[in-house]
Amino acid sequence: DAKTTQPTSMDCAEGRAANLPCNHSTISGNEYVYWYRQIHSQGPQYIIHGLKNNETNEMASLIITEDRKSSTLILPHATLRDTAVYYCIVRPYNFGNEKLTFGTGTRLTIIP
Amino acid sequence: DTGVSQDPRHKITKRGQNVTFRCDPISEHNRLYWYRQTLGQGPEFLTYFQNEAQLEKSRLLSDRFSAERPKGSFSTLEIQRTEQGDSAMYLCASSGDVYSNQPQHFGDGTRLSIL
């Protein structure tokens, strides 16, 4: 699996957009980018995933660069409940390569 | 609540005892995964099932660990002769058909503490 690099921690003011970067320079053509977050004492929560096009859902937007070597997760209006560890993961889209390989993620703190 | 359910949420036991955890996946999901998470680290993959078949096991899954999914619905993870190093959060996830590229959805885990 391709590896990802994320900043260890970030702060964001409440109500502002939180932009979380992720580098995945060795990503392969059949690998998707997934984002999960984990709030203290809970299991990881799926946020969004994409292959090469930008994606948006009710939680966040995912911007993937044209060369697919990096991506940014955007939380448009951060709230205190968005304080969590955010994981960027790349995973092949094929049978037999289904495990998620988590790094240590980015600890995002939303400041009141 | 139609999410992934894990039981118990917390387990405290003495070293050397056996423990068993249960995971109930989202009902229509045929894939079920087990992960382990230690303090300050991201979850690490242990094993996964497609229906009742166990398709992959990590090197982390020593001989003391066994997982089953007998009827392709719920799953159990048993640890025999527990050791201090087994203290961790054990997470279960489920997903639908991989070809539909559905994401894995996680439960809130079972936290195991070995005295």
Side-chain angles (χ1 to χ4, degrees), chain A residues 30-72:
Chain A
N30 69 338
E31 289 181 316
Y32 277 73
V33 180
Y34 286 78
W35 283 85
Y36 282 78
R37 72 181 182 183
Q38 189 171 23
I39 296 168
H40 182 62
S41 296
Q42 297 182 19
Q45 178 189 23
Y46 166 75
I47 301 173
I48 198 167
H49 72 282
L51 183 62
K52 54 184 177 181
N53 297 320
N54 297 339
E55 302 288 344
T56 295
N57 63 19
E58 65 278 5
M59 291 181 67
S61 294
L62 174 60
I63 309 298
I64 302 174
T65 58
E66 190 170 348
D67 63 7
R68 302 187 67 238
K69 293 184 177 181
S70 65
S71 61
T72 301

Side-chain angles (χ1 to χ4, degrees), chain B residues 1-113:
Chain B
D1 185 9
T2 57
V4 177
S5 177
Q6 293 190 244
D7 182 71
R9 290 296 313 278
H10 303 275
K11 179 70 176 179
I12 301 173
T13 192
K14 294 181 179 179
R15 182 169 54 91
Q17 297 295 304
N18 299 342
V19 294
T20 300
F21 313 137
R22 176 180 170 123
C23 171
D24 287 273
I26 294 171
S27 60
E28 64 269 25
H29 285 178
N30 61 1
R31 279 170 163 72
L32 186 148
Y33 309 81
W34 286 98
Y35 292 81
R36 182 174 71 183
Q37 185 174 26
T38 54
L39 199 62
Q41 302 298 314
E44 297 174 291
F45 170 79
L46 292 177
T47 188
Y48 89 93
F49 293 83
Q50 176 181 318
N51 299 314
E52 65 275 9
Q54 189 172 16
L55 297 187
E56 186 177 351
K57 293 194 291 186
S58 162
R59 291 174 299 173
L60 294 175
L61 212 66
S62 75
D63 292 344
R64 297 184 297 106
F65 288 69
S66 62
E68 294 182 343
R69 195 182 183 197
K71 297 183 180 179
S73 57
F74 72 92
S75 176
T76 58
L77 178 67
E78 180 183 16
I79 308 175
Q80 296 182 327
R81 305 180 303 281
T82 53
E83 301 174 355
Q84 291 282 352
D86 297 332
S87 294
M89 174 79 86
Y90 290 84
L91 294 158
C92 177
S94 70
S95 72
D97 186 345
V98 68
Y99 294 108
S100 65
N101 203 23
Q102 294 183 29
Q104 296 176 26
H105 294 276
F106 285 79
D108 283 336
T110 294
R111 181 168 296 282
L112 175 65
S113 298

Side-chain angles (χ1 to χ4, degrees), chain A residues 74-106:
Chain A
I74 301 172
L75 308 178
H77 304 287
T79 71
L80 298 179
R81 288 178 294 181
D82 292 323
T83 292
V85 177
Y86 287 75
Y87 297 100
C88 170
I89 301 164
V90 295
R91 197 198 81 177
Y93 172 41
N94 62 319
F95 181 81
N97 287 287
E98 301 180 36
K99 63 184 178 185
L100 296 173
T101 302
F102 290 79
T104 51
T106 296

